[in-house]
Amino acid sequence: MNGSLNGRAGALTLGDGLVRDLERQVREAQSQWHSPAVSAGIVRDGTLLWSIHVGSARLDPVTAPTDDTQYMIGSITKTFTAVLVMALRDAGKLSLDDRLEKYLPQTRHGAITIRQLLSHASGLQREPVGRIWENLDAPDQERLLRELEEAEQVLPVHFAFHYSNLAFALLGQIVEQLEGRPWDEVVTERILAPLGMKHTGLVPDNANRALGYQIHPHTGVATVEPAFEQKAMAPLGGLWSTVADMGRYAAFVADPIDDVLSPDSVDEMCRPLIMTDVEGWARAYGLGYD
């Protein structure tokens, strides 16, 4: 098992005991998840104070990950889409209470609001129509909107928290419609560039990205997973990023800048709207953040 510890001077300010405990937790996570590599970092006062990289970003040849190794960040991408929607709201281009029919006039799901889409309170089914995660055949815009009419509303709106990737694909469509250009161009100009996230984007750097592997549960053999172009699903999970860049994003969430989104709007995003833990009432979801 390969591992690296960066930011030694900063790490000392965390305390040696805490650093050892953090490193242990990351190594345990890598083992439990059967993941070829795990990277983690801590941000304080806008700076990546400490980071650790365990395992291998590539197995042939064996390559250790670094602060600049790209990983697909999956559903963290949704928070970027949510920030874009809130920025459009602040610019007066939409209202959170706009109904979907304002942007997709022909849809049978037109009564759902942007606020409900953002908070996973729309009741829409979890995924876009089809066996997307099995056949890795993501819909383009035309297919996403056509098949939307086959999608089920499995719960009444705001009846209960129901996670929906489809909802965030639709939010991406709203962003594209209002901006008149692809979602990835908007997220680059409005968020990534102002925050200096130079190694984050929809298209990975093949020389510096971690490869995805499927680990067989019994033999332990690792097989490279095929690339998956997410197309119209990109706003729900398509971004690639690094520990260093995600540190910059974390710093923004902790201390927002008006060039991206005002502190008041970020606070609004973090305000609970619907409980995700109905038994313990310990977790809630806001406008794109939980």
Side-chain angles (χ1 to χ4, degrees), residues 211-237:
L211 294 179
Y213 294 92
Q214 178 68 41
I215 310 298
H216 193 283
H218 302 300
T219 66
V221 174
T223 305
V224 177
E225 291 187 339
F228 181 25
E229 184 184 356
Q230 295 203 19
K231 301 177 185 175
M233 291 172 56
L236 65 90

Side-chain angles (χ1 to χ4, degrees), residues 178-209:
L178 290 175
E179 286 287 298
R181 51 188 170 145
W183 173 88
D184 62 303
E185 291 184 13
V186 183
V187 78
T188 298
E189 179 185 313
R190 296 291 187 90
I191 302 177
L192 305 182
L195 297 182
M197 298 176 66
K198 298 179 180 179
H199 299 294
T200 302
L202 201 56
V203 179
D205 178 355
N206 285 326
N208 293 311
R209 73 178 180 97

Side-chain angles (χ1 to χ4, degrees), residues 88-206:
L88 288 168
R89 190 282 305 269
D90 289 355
K93 295 186 177 181
L94 61 80
S95 166
L96 296 185
D97 294 316
D98 284 346
R99 292 156 62 106
L100 189 57
E101 64 189 6
K102 180 175 181 178
Y103 306 95
L104 304 176
Q106 305 305 317
T107 180
R108 69 185 183 93
H109 301 291
I112 295 170
T113 68
I114 291 176
R115 189 187 308 274
Q116 291 158 354
L117 293 170
L118 281 170
S119 58
H120 292 295
S122 69
L124 282 175
Q125 67 183 51
R126 182 181 176 98
E127 308 296 345
V129 173
R131 305 173 72 88
I132 293 165
W133 302 112
E134 296 177 27
N135 58 29
L136 301 184
D137 181 19
D140 59 14
Q141 180 189 55
E142 185 278 331
R143 184 178 134 203
L144 174 75
L145 299 181
R146 171 169 46 85
E147 294 181 341
L148 173 62
E149 302 318 299
E150 303 172 32
E152 297 181 47
Q153 184 156 353
V154 298
L155 291 173
V157 294
H158 223 95
F159 179 80
F161 176 82
H162 182 73
Y163 195 89
S164 178
N165 279 324
L166 174 57
F168 273 78
L170 296 175
L171 289 168
Q173 291 300 308
I174 292 172
V175 169
E176 291 192 351
Q177 189 176 129
L178 290 175
E179 286 287 298
R181 51 188 170 145
W183 173 88
D184 62 303
E185 291 184 13
V186 183
V187 78
T188 298
E189 179 185 313
R190 296 291 187 90
I191 302 177
L192 305 182
L195 297 182
M197 298 176 66
K198 298 179 180 179
H199 299 294
T200 302
L202 201 56
V203 179
D205 178 355
N206 285 326

